[in-house]
Amino acid sequence: EAGVAQSPRYKIIEKRQSVAFWCNPISGHATLYWYQQILGQGPKLLIQFQNNGVVDDSQLPKDRFSAERLKGVDSTLKIQPAKLEDSAVYLCASRGLAGRQETQYFGPGTRLLVL
Amino acid sequence: GNSVTQMEGPVTLSEEAFLTINCTYTATGYPSLFWYVQYPGEGLQLLLKATKADDKGSNKGFEATYRKETTSFHLEKGSVQVSDSAVYFCALTKIQGAQKLVFGQGTRLTINP
């Protein structure tokens, strides 16, 4: 079974530029998560999708971050404009639909450096 | 709100030493508890989990027991190897609702030969 795919793996941009990350979850997984992991900290949820609907985006800085999952499969996360403090690893995770199937499977992450 | 507190690192041990990484949590109701591991250059991998009080999760020689009375989920291994060097994250999620993971800050473990 293929895992969660993310691209790019690394990205370096200057502040005020825009950037986009892509995630392809495990086939058949209805729930998709984006987490932000700042160096030395645990991951923090940014947004959660169930199919193509948003379940939780309470921690997403909506003035600069946006995310979509138009067909309920792939997802993109965008930052515009980027700030220095956005430097982090952005992790995508997916989970199956079954009621107590709680395991989230993570992709390798996209490491973003904002200069 | 829900939160997880982990033993601060970094932790450095010699090969074959006994390992304990402490984890305590604050949550309403009955969360599920997890340990995730992040090897250098790789993504987060589920190491083990427990879904109810007194459950013991185990994998690759690691164990953790869900202790509701002390709100803890400490990670243990009897004899560590160099290959166990990684960052370990304790996390919780609620069974109902959005099931988002709430992570601790992580503990970096280095095992010396």
Side-chain angles (χ1 to χ4, degrees):
Chain A
E1 177 182 78
V4 177
Q6 290 188 249
S7 68
R9 293 295 307 274
Y10 305 92
K11 191 73 177 178
I12 300 174
I13 61 172
E14 296 187 350
K15 60 183 179 183
R16 290 188 289 274
Q17 286 187 322
S18 62
V19 64
F21 313 128
W22 173 81
C23 173
N24 182 239
I26 292 172
S27 178
H29 279 193
T31 308
L32 185 147
Y33 306 81
W34 283 101
Y35 290 85
Q36 179 191 57
Q37 185 180 10
I38 293 172
L39 187 65
Q41 299 181 19
K44 182 187 76 173
L45 181 71
L46 291 175
I47 189 167
Q48 177 186 349
F49 292 93
Q50 180 76 19
N51 297 309
N52 60 351
V54 175
V55 174
D56 184 351
D57 63 356
S58 57
Q59 299 295 308
L60 187 74
K62 298 181 186 64
D63 57 334
R64 298 183 301 106
F65 286 66
S66 64
E68 60 183 13
R69 194 184 183 202
L70 292 175
K71 296 182 179 179
V73 181
D74 294 5
S75 177
T76 56
L77 176 69
K78 297 179 181 178
I79 308 175
Q80 182 179 10
K83 292 186 175 181
L84 297 177
E85 59 261 35
D86 298 332
S87 294
V89 177
Y90 291 85
L91 298 167
C92 180
S94 70
R95 180 174 62 85
L97 183 58
R100 289 185 65 88
Q101 188 173 330
E102 301 154 359
T103 301
Q104 291 183 28
Y105 295 90
F106 285 80
T110 297
R111 187 175 298 274
L112 173 68
L113 179 60
V114 182
L115 302 175
Chain B
N2 300 328
S3 66
V4 175
T5 301
Q6 279 183 242
M7 157 183 188
E8 287 194 17
V11 174
T12 303
L13 297 171
S14 297
E15 204 165 21
E16 299 183 3
F18 184 86
L19 168 71
T20 299
I21 300 178
N22 290 337
C23 171
T24 57
Y25 67 90
T26 301
T28 56
Y30 303 94
S32 293
L33 302 173
F34 304 81
W35 278 99
Y36 277 83
V37 59
Q38 192 170 37
Y39 297 104
E42 298 184 17
L44 282 167
Q45 301 175 25
L46 178 66
L47 180 60
L48 53 84
K49 68 178 182 181
T51 58
K52 61 182 188 294
D54 300 324
D55 267 3
K56 178 184 286 187
S58 62
N59 187 25
K60 299 182 181 179
F62 290 89
E63 293 183 340
T65 301
Y66 190 141
R67 301 288 189 198
K68 189 173 187 303
E69 63 275 14
T70 54
T71 62
S72 65
F73 193 55
H74 304 322
L75 183 67
E76 296 182 337
K77 186 174 185 180
S79 177
V80 292
Q81 307 299 312
V82 172
S83 57
D84 294 327
S85 298
V87 181
Y88 292 81
F89 292 92
C90 185
L92 67 79
T93 188
K94 300 299 291 294
I95 296 172
Q96 284 77 34
Q99 295 196 26
K100 68 178 184 182
L101 282 165
V102 176
F103 287 88
Q105 75 271 30
T107 302
R108 180 175 298 278
L109 173 66
T110 301
I111 307 300
N112 294 321

